[in-house]
Amino acid sequence: MITQAKIHERISDQEAYITNLRRHFHQYPELSLQEYETIKRIKEELDNLELPYQSVGETGVLATLEGGKGPGKILLLRADIDALPMDDLTGQAYTSINAGVNHACGHDGHIAALMGAVHVLKDIQDEIKGTIMVAFQPAEEIGAGARQFVRGGFVNDVDHVFGLHLSSRHALGKIIATPGPSNASCDIFKITVHGKSSHVANPVLGRDALVSAAAIVGELQTIVSRETKPSDEVVLGIGVLRAGTNYNIIANEAFIEGTVRTFDSKVRAHVLEAVERIARLTAQAHRTEVSFSNYDAAAPLINDVDAAQAAYEVAAKIVGAENVIQDEPKSMSADDFADFLAVAPGVYCFVGTQSSQETAFSHHHQQFDTDERGLLHAAELHVSYALNYLSNQ
């Protein structure tokens, strides 16, 4: 039986590999569903390990590591691989060379940490009973990647799932393993307002989509305050409002994009109905019309209680029990790892990477960066959780 000390030693041996791999992916980020070079490099790493895999969609991959001690439970480990459409202002030597694309959420570190873990698991393959599936998943940022694995039937036989996310909100050396609700659902709605152009000097001849859209945005803010209970834990946010082509033209079209986040399916359905209803009625009051669509990007992420407890026990051996957080407040951010949790029980952990001002920027910030020592904690957590789960069957 491999000890925790031995796992730690093997992970430490992978430090240079993990760090260099993370910096490579940070320097060459790719957007959701466009991760062609990223997945090419991941497959090269898997080929070097002689680990069999199958492609999932155009930019996903699922590798299989069969334990040398025979069949048993099937565990899935997951890392997301996509970057964000924003500039990289870290100023590091490994700053993104792809203009307007940045690994500002830490997925570069997720890839590197899981790949480092796979190296260790491959080395001790003969000591493992059961099977480890390794998912490198595209398009988490748009909620389109995990469902490729799920709807494609690639994970139908999985018994248990495990994933993690780096966290600049938490100090280096902290690991979060909270039972129950962790992350909210995510719906992405789009509203197109259809009006009629005219000269601004003759507004009566037009139907102003810009004014209508502004009114819709304002009215939507009343949903949370007047149509839901304070205890409902819901967010309705508008991130995009575009309208108009010139200062002297009544806009004939406007575009609104926003999101709804909650933990309750009934609240979720009610708020989405209210968004469409208020948009249509407000538009009607302004003599305009709307087209409405919604994209279900992620379900609420609910950690299995027993899995979270197992993660706590494993993490305590890595960073000490006093550094494992079990009561982290729920987050209104979303993660499509929830799709994997709909297939099998499991847990989604967070690993602290903040150690300085440079590593304290929030995720999705242009200067977001990671203390790479946290990647070793992440890699060790992958290995330790996998071995713990597969040995207890």
Side-chain angles (χ1 to χ4, degrees):
M1 178 178 177
I2 185 167
T3 64
Q4 193 67 45
K6 200 65 177 177
I7 295 173
H8 181 79
E9 179 183 342
R10 288 176 179 267
I11 291 293
S12 296
D13 290 342
Q14 296 294 323
E15 181 173 7
Y17 171 79
I18 292 171
T19 300
N20 290 334
L21 194 62
R22 180 256 167 174
R23 293 182 180 185
H24 167 82
F25 288 122
H26 191 92
Q27 196 167 18
Y28 301 96
E30 295 176 297
L31 296 176
S32 302
L33 300 179
Q34 300 175 36
E35 310 96 333
Y36 298 107
E37 292 303 315
T38 300
I39 206 65
K40 179 181 177 182
R41 175 62 185 270
I42 289 170
K43 289 178 177 179
E44 289 172 356
E45 297 296 326
L46 295 173
D47 286 335
N48 290 338
L49 288 168
E50 299 183 344
L51 202 62
Y53 58 81
Q54 53 188 324
S55 295
V56 178
E58 292 187 357
T59 54
V61 69
L62 184 66
T64 304
L65 190 151
E66 298 281 0
K69 289 188 174 181
K73 295 289 187 180
I74 301 175
L75 168 71
L76 180 138
L77 303 177
R78 173 267 205 172
D80 39 12
I81 70 173
D82 53 330
L84 289 159
M86 60 192 302
D87 291 329
D88 185 344
L89 301 182
T90 57
Q92 299 285 3
Y94 47 82
T95 296
S96 169
I97 65 171
N98 294 337
V101 188
N102 181 7
H103 264 300
C105 198
H107 297 183
D108 51 347
H110 298 173
I111 305 169
L114 183 53
M115 194 64 76
V118 171
H119 271 262
V120 173
L121 291 168
K122 178 65 175 177
D123 286 344
I124 59 173
Q125 185 172 4
D126 290 343
E127 301 182 47
I128 296 173
K129 177 180 174 62
T131 301
I132 299 173
M133 310 294 289
V134 186
F136 290 96
Q137 176 217 304
E140 184 279 329
E141 295 292 351
I142 61 171
R147 62 191 53 183
Q148 292 184 354
F149 288 76
V150 174
R151 292 179 179 176
F154 293 94
V155 295
N156 286 350
D157 298 326
V158 168
D159 297 301
H160 198 84
V161 295
F162 178 80
L164 59 81
H165 203 297
L166 302 177
S167 174
S168 67
R169 293 188 298 111
H170 297 91
L172 179 70
K174 299 290 185 180
I175 294 177
I176 295 83
T178 301
S182 174
N183 294 73
S185 62
C186 177
D187 289 281
I188 304 170
F189 63 83
K190 297 180 180 181
I191 302 168
T192 303
V193 183
H194 307 283
K196 179 182 178 182
S197 292
S198 73
H199 196 290
V200 294
N202 271 311
V204 70
L205 299 178
R207 297 183 179 185
D208 199 327
L210 188 155
V211 172
S212 180
I216 290 170
V217 170
E219 289 299 323
L220 291 181
Q221 305 310 308
T222 67
I223 294 175
V224 174
S225 65
R226 293 296 177 267
E227 295 206 30
T228 66
K229 295 181 292 186
S231 59
D232 278 340
E233 296 180 308
V234 57
V235 166
L236 192 162
I238 306 297
V240 175
L241 174 58
R242 292 196 301 268
T245 58
N246 204 53
Y247 79 98
N248 61 352
I249 301 173
I250 295 290
N252 71 333
E253 190 170 82
F255 180 75
I256 301 166
E257 186 172 5
T259 183
V260 172
R261 311 288 178 100
T262 185
F263 295 92
D264 184 281
S265 59
K266 291 182 180 179
V267 173
R268 185 182 187 185
H270 170 70
V271 172
L272 288 169
E273 180 277 327
V275 170
E276 183 174 4
R277 165 171 46 85
I278 288 175
R280 292 192 185 283
L281 292 175
T282 304
Q284 183 180 344
H286 287 267
R287 301 183 303 143
T288 59
E289 298 179 349
V290 298
S291 301
F292 178 86
S293 65
N294 180 66
Y295 177 67
D296 173 3
L301 194 157
I302 314 295
N303 287 327
D304 179 78
V305 173
D306 292 337
Q309 178 61 27
Y312 162 76
E313 294 170 3
V314 167
K317 296 177 182 179
I318 298 171
V319 296
E322 70 279 7
N323 290 312
V324 184
I325 300 170
Q326 291 184 285
D327 57 354
E328 181 72 7
K330 289 178 283 188
S331 171
M332 300 310 290
S333 63
D335 195 296
D336 70 355
F337 185 76
D339 288 349
F340 290 114
L341 286 170
V343 174
V347 62
Y348 197 56
C349 293
F350 293 85
V351 177
T353 59
Q354 180 192 136
S355 63
S356 64
Q357 182 177 346
E358 288 73 22
T359 56
F361 290 102
S362 67
H363 294 250
H364 294 217
H365 189 282
Q366 291 168 319
Q367 291 175 265
F368 172 85
D369 206 357
T370 294
D371 187 319
E372 291 164 330
R373 290 174 293 178
L375 304 183
L376 302 184
H377 293 150
E380 189 169 351
L381 186 57
H382 273 302
V383 173
S384 300
Y385 191 91
L387 296 180
N388 179 73
Y389 173 76
L390 293 176
S391 65
N392 291 321
Q393 55 178 304

